[in-house]
Amino acid sequence: MNKQLFENKKSLINNIYLLLGDTTGKYLITILIISIFLLPILHIYIPEESFFHISSYTISLLGKYLCFALLALSLDLIWGYTGILSLGHGAFFGLGGYMMGMHLMREIGDRGVYGNSELPDFMVFLNWEELPWFWYGFDSFLFASLMVILVPGLLAFIFSALAFGSRVTGVYFSIITQALVFTLMLAFFQNDFGFGGNNGLTDFKDILGKDISSKETRGALYSCSAIMLILGYLICRIIISSKIGNILVGIRDRENRMRFLGYNTTVFKIIIFTISAILAGIAGALYVPQVGIINPGEFSPIKSIEIVVWVALGGRGFLYGAIIGAIVVNVLKSYLTIISPEIWIIFLGLIFILVTIYLPNGLTDLRRIIKRNYGRK
Amino acid sequence: MYIILVFTNLNYLLADNNNLRNHILELDTKDFNKKIVSIEKISEIKTDLSLLTLKSILNGKLFIRKSDKKILLVEVIDRKYNAYDFFDKKELGIEKKRKLKKIKINNKIRNILNNKIAILQLSSGTTRQKTEAIFDIIKEGNQKTLIIINELLLKEKDKELLLNLNLAKNSIIARYGNEIEKIEAVKSLSGSTNNDIVNILKSIVNNKIISENIKLEATKSLEASLGNIKFNNILKTTFFGLSLGSVLLLAAIGLAITFGVVGVINMAHGELIMIGAYSAYVVQQIIPNNISASIIISIPVAFVFTGFVGVLIERLIVKNLYGRPLETLLATFGLSLILQQTVRSIFSPLNKTVYSPEWMSGITRIGGLELTNNRIVIIIFTLIVFLTVVYILKKTLFGLQMRAVTQNRKMASAMGINTKKIDMFTFAFGAGVAGVAGVALSQITNVGPNLGQNYIIDSFMVVVFGGVGNLFGTFIGAFGLGLGNKLLEPYVGAIVSKIFILLFIIIFIQFRPKGLFSLKGRMVDE
């Protein structure tokens, strides 16, 4: 008994060793850990005139990038390592966001425009008599957090169990994930669906009793995002470096051979897809309080495809690639859309084409090319 | 002799116009009863101008200039009063509001005007105007109109108009005749699908003073009418379903070729449709005077141009990614963004209008059904395009080679087919068909940079639902989804029915992952 435990411990140590073996990931995690403490301190305690001060706009923006990075990470887990391309990961991100949004709506209480403590503003506006059943329980933060995990997870589980169970693969799976996210968008745009329709959920006031726009809250939200990203990264790393990871890669490279070898690939795919959806949902839940709104636009198919670009640019199948890709693309997006939205769209299109044709492993390929050229000199 | 005839005729007209002027000036009074008298008199002068007078009074466009009592037609645009001379239609420039006097009417006069206009249109005008006028009379008819209808019944020769005139006559008798007349009239109204007649019948059934005999007949007639309306509605829904199905099929055929035959996921397919629609727009800008010709010319133009764009896409992007479907999907998606933005920069983000030729606008009445011509034309056009594509695939050398490459690339290559060339031409062919679809779609929707986006997901659904690599499946898929969507719509609304259809497809794919009609084989696909 004791021996077994000891062996388990040993394999755990082994795992940690594997985690540390990934150099770029190590640097990335280190930077993130430092930023957990540093950024909020710079934001809260350094006076605004100072060069080192970080404005609340910047810290929310950075927090947003980290949420996107977590989302990209979740996509890399299934696309990069298992070969399942989801064109609808925005569905899980959006659902996680809506769950958090619903809690924040309930937190508003009677401070809304209509001063109704029973119903959110948009329901009063639509002349609703009482709270729909699916809003019950969202007063509690704990319940909402549970839902953030359960709802996207359950949807992903059912959806993938159906799809993978009947061996829907490859392009077909991608297209039905797109149909899924498109369906959700149409549904959430409906006013009588009960989630605020077109306008979505917004005008949040508090989170856990603290003012949502205060410096402390923004700092804390940033730290939470960074911590969740690190945790997400570690979870993915552990999965990838375990035996399961090898099976997943096997599925990616030749699923039928894995099947012939006796592995029930369907179960692995369902599990990994569900985990990925849960990570995406958590990213959405952290994203909403930082941007202050969630609306059906998050479910638009193009947003989901953008996630794929982040991963493709960063290099799929490297985990840290997804994080770097998400941050690089979004920083570019922030700058270029200020210069001219047209340029941004052309640029995005070009990234798609050039990366898929010339850099199948994204920026990591670029690094290799540069290294090779320097090597010759 | 001739000259005298023309001269008297002219004199006659001038006299009419003078009369008309006087009567219009008489309208300039606050006494509404006097106005009614003048309107009666105006409607007795049965010329086009008197009809115009009544119409412009109804629309509030008839004004009198205070200074010289000149009668003006005024178009109000951006709160500016653009005046025209009423008689010779000369433009008089912008008038000031306070120098003009508008001829005001109340609801009673409005009803009278509607009725008079209907009667005037009945005695002159095209068959369609006459039909419209008869339907107006059914709404507002009374004993006076009955006399006119009886006169017209003697003169009119057109069968359809006679039928409608009888309907109008009976609808009036059913309200104002004696008991025996009423029973006969109510009987003859049986089965009519006209909304106003149904209302008349309903009011008779619900009226407490009317005798039981009439009520009995009215109830029978009403039931027959409601039955017919139900039947008509089913036909109408079917027509709408077929219409939507044909649009889906048009959008999906090109995709079925590139996706089904070459196995390339082309996310820029929607943008190829958009380019086709813009080709129609450009051709129409080049020949603005002949709309019919411009639409017909733009079909081959769109086919060739989008086909050429297709060749470029194949050479520059898709060629590098054969055998990597997911990467192709991403690259072509990027391309779709670029194409959209390019079109937005060239043509501005605003929607453009492509005008429809005359034979596509208007309504065709079949029984009680009103079908819009453009939808009928598009259904027929879709079938032509579909059959042509099937013909090319099944009966031409190009089609044969294309199918050979699809079935066994290596073997086809060994038989001397240049597979790379076939790939390119197939892709271009699919793109060209998408362009042709764009021309057709330009006739029913706005042409804008986002046109394609609205069709891409639907097209994929159709192809996947029907079964990849099977044009017949695409055909069934498109019409099946179109009909399903429109059959659901009356119960749940447009958007929710679309949601249901999407959910249906998602679930359907789980049970038949290869679509309705799939190629059967014993291979494990890689």
Side-chain angles (χ1 to χ4, degrees):
Chain A
M1 190 70 193
N2 265 339
K3 205 179 174 188
Q4 230 177 3
L5 252 176
F6 180 70
E7 264 182 14
N8 274 347
K9 236 178 204 169
K10 203 175 171 189
S11 78
L12 194 72
I13 292 166
N14 214 11
N15 271 339
I16 290 170
Y17 183 74
L18 269 171
L19 292 180
L20 297 178
D22 154 42
T23 337
T24 317
K26 222 161 52 182
Y27 288 135
L28 213 66
I29 297 296
T30 318
I31 295 171
L32 280 173
I33 290 174
I34 295 169
S35 83
I36 293 175
F37 303 104
L38 189 63
L39 287 186
I41 290 170
L42 291 182
H43 174 54
I44 300 166
Y45 297 110
I46 301 292
E48 283 182 28
E49 312 80 58
S50 162
F51 176 75
F52 293 102
H53 174 75
I54 289 177
S55 69
S56 59
Y57 170 77
T58 316
I59 199 161
S60 285
L61 196 68
L62 291 174
K64 201 174 89 174
Y65 292 162
L66 295 191
C67 294
F68 287 152
L70 183 56
L71 177 59
L73 198 66
S74 76
L75 187 73
D76 196 24
L77 191 61
I78 54 165
W79 186 36
Y81 287 95
T82 325
I84 307 165
L85 175 56
S86 163
L87 293 181
H89 240 47
F92 308 116
F93 181 78
L95 280 176
Y98 263 100
M99 296 304 125
M100 181 52 75
M102 283 160 83
H103 169 67
L104 295 177
M105 283 308 264
R106 301 300 293 146
E107 281 270 286
I108 295 173
D110 58 1
R111 285 167 294 173
V113 180
Y114 296 101
N116 189 326
S117 59
E118 295 297 316
L119 295 177
D121 273 350
F122 73 90
M123 290 189 192
V124 182
F125 182 73
L126 293 171
N127 287 325
W128 288 25
E129 298 288 317
E130 54 183 32
L131 205 64
W133 60 268
F134 47 80
W135 277 73
Y136 293 161
F138 278 92
D139 302 1
S140 141
F141 181 78
L142 216 64
F143 179 81
S145 314
L146 204 63
M147 286 297 132
V148 164
I149 293 169
L150 272 184
V151 171
L154 213 61
L155 176 70
F157 178 76
I158 295 170
F159 183 79
S160 63
L162 278 170
F164 297 140
S166 49
R167 303 205 183 168
V168 179
T169 48
V171 179
Y172 289 87
F173 184 79
S174 306
I175 290 173
I176 61 167
T177 50
Q178 191 174 39
L180 174 77
V181 79
F182 186 62
T183 313
L184 280 175
M185 181 178 79
L186 290 179
F188 275 77
F189 263 123
Q190 297 283 90
N191 269 336
D192 42 13
F193 199 60
F195 296 96
N198 209 351
N199 298 325
L201 309 173
T202 185
D203 287 336
F204 308 132
K205 305 272 192 267
D206 283 354
I207 181 162
L208 289 171
K210 300 273 186 324
D211 182 2
I212 204 161
S213 54
S214 76
K215 280 187 168 183
E216 289 77 11
T217 319
R218 285 188 183 277
L221 281 171
Y222 173 84
S223 302
C224 284
S225 309
I227 291 169
M228 270 324 293
L229 180 59
I230 294 168
L231 277 180
Y233 184 82
L234 291 179
I235 289 171
C236 291
R237 250 294 145 228
I238 288 169
I239 292 174
I240 297 313
S241 41
S242 69
K243 196 184 165 198
I244 297 174
N246 291 337
I247 297 173
L248 295 180
V249 173
I251 292 173
R252 178 188 73 187
D253 292 339
R254 188 122 324 171
E255 185 176 354
N256 284 316
R257 188 170 291 177
M258 292 301 286
R259 243 189 248 281
F260 293 145
L261 286 172
Y263 289 100
N264 188 348
T265 54
T266 310
V267 173
F268 286 102
K269 280 157 80 179
I270 295 171
I271 292 172
I272 206 72
F273 192 76
T274 310
I275 292 174
S276 164
I278 291 171
L279 286 179
I282 293 171
L286 284 166
Y287 169 80
V288 169
Q290 300 189 67
V291 293
I293 186 169
I294 175 86
N295 62 23
E298 294 302 329
F299 293 121
S300 76
I302 179 161
K303 286 228 169 170
S304 291
I305 293 192
E306 258 183 53
I307 307 167
V308 179
V309 168
W310 306 339
V311 180
L313 184 76
R316 68 188 176 109
F318 294 96
L319 291 184
Y320 59 80
I323 297 176
I324 295 171
I327 293 173
V328 167
V329 174
N330 280 297
V331 169
L332 280 174
K333 183 179 183 175
S334 303
Y335 277 97
L336 285 179
T337 40
I338 291 169
I339 300 169
S340 144
E342 287 93 36
I343 291 179
W344 163 244
I345 290 182
I346 299 261
F347 186 77
L348 187 68
L350 280 177
I351 300 182
F352 267 111
I353 297 174
L354 297 178
V355 166
T356 45
I357 296 180
Y358 299 109
L359 305 172
N361 293 318
L363 290 178
T364 48
D365 268 345
L366 208 61
R367 197 175 64 178
R368 205 169 307 141
I369 291 168
I370 292 169
K371 237 182 200 170
R372 198 176 56 203
N373 287 352
Y374 273 110
R376 269 183 203 158
K377 281 174 191 175
Chain B
M1 178 71 182
Y2 230 77
I3 297 166
I4 298 169
L5 237 171
V6 171
F7 197 69
T8 42
N9 209 348
L10 202 68
N11 242 338
Y12 198 67
L13 266 178
L14 281 176
D16 266 356
N17 281 355
N18 261 332
N19 270 338
L20 189 59
R21 183 194 301 274
N22 292 335
H23 292 314
I24 294 174
L25 291 179
E26 279 166 24
L27 280 171
D28 186 10
T29 160
K30 276 181 183 159
D31 185 346
F32 280 109
N33 286 330
K34 275 186 189 166
K35 280 191 184 182
I36 293 175
V37 175
S38 316
I39 286 172
E40 294 272 350
K41 281 180 185 162
I42 291 171
S43 65
E44 273 159 26
I45 309 168
K46 291 173 179 167
T47 61
D48 287 351
L49 263 185
S50 64
L51 182 60
L52 180 67
T53 317
L54 298 180
K55 279 184 178 171
S56 31
I57 296 173
L58 190 64
N59 299 335
K61 286 180 179 171
L62 200 69
F63 287 73
I64 296 171
R65 185 146 73 191
K66 285 174 188 166
S67 54
D68 57 356
K69 298 280 174 202
K70 203 175 172 75
I71 298 163
L72 304 174
L73 269 182
V74 173
E75 294 278 346
V76 184
I77 300 165
D78 292 341
R79 291 189 194 159
K80 279 177 189 153
Y81 286 64
N82 295 329
Y84 300 85
D85 187 289
F86 181 74
F87 290 99
D88 57 15
K89 308 283 182 298
K90 254 189 213 156
E91 205 172 332
L92 301 173
I94 295 168
E95 289 280 342
K96 281 195 177 131
K97 191 185 170 186
R98 57 188 160 80
K99 291 189 174 168
L100 299 176
K101 183 147 194 190
K102 188 178 174 179
I103 291 168
K104 285 179 183 154
I105 52 174
N106 60 6
N107 261 343
K108 191 178 167 194
I109 295 182
R110 195 165 288 130
N111 281 338
I112 293 171
L113 279 172
N114 268 326
N115 216 330
K116 294 288 175 199
I117 290 170
I119 292 166
L120 269 176
Q121 272 179 344
L122 268 185
S123 41
S124 62
T126 63
T127 315
R128 234 183 85 199
Q129 280 173 335
K130 280 184 183 175
T131 319
E132 297 295 326
I134 292 172
F135 287 133
D136 278 346
I137 287 180
I138 293 177
K139 231 179 271 179
E140 315 268 352
N142 55 29
Q143 287 104 319
K144 265 189 191 169
T145 34
L146 191 57
I147 301 166
I148 298 158
I149 289 176
N150 278 331
E151 271 173 35
L152 285 170
L153 271 171
L154 294 176
K155 278 191 268 175
E156 191 56 61
K157 290 199 177 65
D158 189 302
K159 267 188 189 165
E160 206 193 312
L161 280 182
L162 275 178
L163 218 67
N164 284 328
L165 275 173
N166 266 320
L167 209 60
K169 179 185 166 185
N170 287 322
S171 76
I172 296 170
I173 296 177
R175 277 178 290 181
Y176 301 102
N178 63 33
E179 182 150 349
I180 301 163
E181 281 174 346
K182 273 186 179 174
I183 291 181
E184 283 306 309
V186 166
K187 267 187 189 170
S188 68
L189 290 180
S190 166
S192 166
T193 53
N194 184 300
N195 228 341
D196 295 306
I197 288 184
V198 171
N199 283 336
I200 291 170
L201 287 174
K202 272 185 190 161
S203 70
I204 292 173
V205 174
N206 295 330
N207 197 328
K208 281 174 189 161
I209 320 162
I210 291 177
S211 76
E212 284 303 317
N213 285 336
I214 301 175
K215 273 192 187 177
L216 201 69
E217 287 303 326
T219 320
K220 275 188 205 164
S221 299
L222 186 63
E223 271 168 13
S225 289
L226 290 178
N228 278 355
I229 287 177
K230 216 174 187 179
F231 179 68
N232 266 354
N233 277 343
I234 293 172
L235 284 185
K236 214 190 253 170
T237 318
T238 315
F239 175 72
F240 284 143
L242 289 178
S243 165
L244 178 65
S246 65
V247 170
L248 288 177
L249 181 58
L250 260 182
I253 294 176
L255 199 71
I257 295 170
T258 48
F259 186 23
V261 181
V262 203
V264 169
I265 312 288
N266 182 12
M267 291 300 270
H269 176 76
E271 278 57 46
L272 291 172
I273 295 178
M274 171 197 72
I275 290 174
Y278 271 96
S279 315
Y281 171 73
V282 171
V283 172
Q284 204 160 72
Q285 296 302 303
I286 297 169
I287 11 179
N289 298 323
N290 195 338
I291 291 171
S292 259
S294 81
I295 289 296
I296 289 169
I297 291 172
S298 59
I299 293 171
V301 169
F303 181 81
V304 172
F305 184 66
T306 38
F308 178 67
V309 175
V311 170
L312 287 183
I313 297 175
E314 208 273 345
R315 286 289 95 177
L316 295 176
I317 299 172
V318 176
K319 192 187 74 179
N320 302 309
L321 298 167
Y322 275 122
R324 289 160 64 194
L326 294 179
E327 277 82 354
T328 320
L329 189 155
L330 294 178
T332 47
F333 181 80
L335 180 74
S336 82
L337 291 181
I338 295 177
L339 287 178
Q340 270 179 40
Q341 191 51 52
T342 315
V343 167
R344 206 172 284 140
S345 307
I346 298 175
F347 293 98
S348 94
L350 301 175
N351 283 339
K352 302 286 180 197
T353 325
V354 177
Y355 295 100
S356 297
E358 208 145 277
W359 41 269
M360 277 190 81
S361 48
I363 296 168
T364 304
R365 276 180 215 274
I366 302 173
L369 275 180
E370 292 180 353
L371 309 179
T372 43
N373 283 345
N374 61 355
R375 301 244 162 211
I376 297 175
V377 172
I378 290 208
I379 292 178
I380 297 168
F381 181 73
T382 309
L383 293 179
I384 295 172
V385 171
F386 181 74
L387 291 176
T388 317
V389 169
V390 170
Y391 176 82
I392 290 174
L393 280 182
K394 300 271 170 185
K395 298 284 176 191
T396 62
L397 181 65
F398 170 55
L400 183 70
Q401 292 180 340
M402 204 192 299
R403 282 181 295 138
V405 173
T406 319
Q407 282 168 16
N408 194 329
R409 179 172 292 269
K410 280 180 187 161
M411 189 63 87
S413 180
M415 301 299 278
I417 296 172
N418 186 344
T419 53
K420 295 233 162 114
K421 213 170 178 183
I422 291 293
D423 283 339
M424 186 180 85
F425 281 130
T426 312
F427 194 86
F429 180 55
V433 174
V436 172
V439 177
L441 291 181
S442 75
Q443 295 299 304
I444 48 171
T445 48
N446 292 321
V447 177
N450 294 333
L451 172 79
Q453 263 187 347
N454 304 329
Y455 290 99
I456 184 74
I457 290 183
D458 289 344
S459 314
F460 268 115
M461 290 298 122
V462 167
V463 175
V464 170
F465 176 63
V468 176
N470 188 324
L471 274 183
F472 179 66
T474 309
F475 182 86
I476 300 288
F479 281 104
L481 294 183
L483 281 172
N485 201 338
K486 288 293 168 184
L487 286 176
L488 273 176
E489 219 174 87
Y491 303 103
V492 293
I495 305 274
V496 178
S497 99
K498 198 163 183 190
I499 294 173
F500 277 151
I501 290 289
L502 282 167
L503 284 178
F504 165 74
I505 297 173
I506 292 174
I507 293 166
F508 178 84
I509 293 291
Q510 320 293 343
F511 293 104
R512 295 199 64 141
K514 300 284 171 196
L516 264 183
F517 303 93
S518 52
L519 301 168
K520 292 205 168 53
R522 281 182 280 181
M523 298 265 285
V524 170
D525 52 323
E526 283 289 328

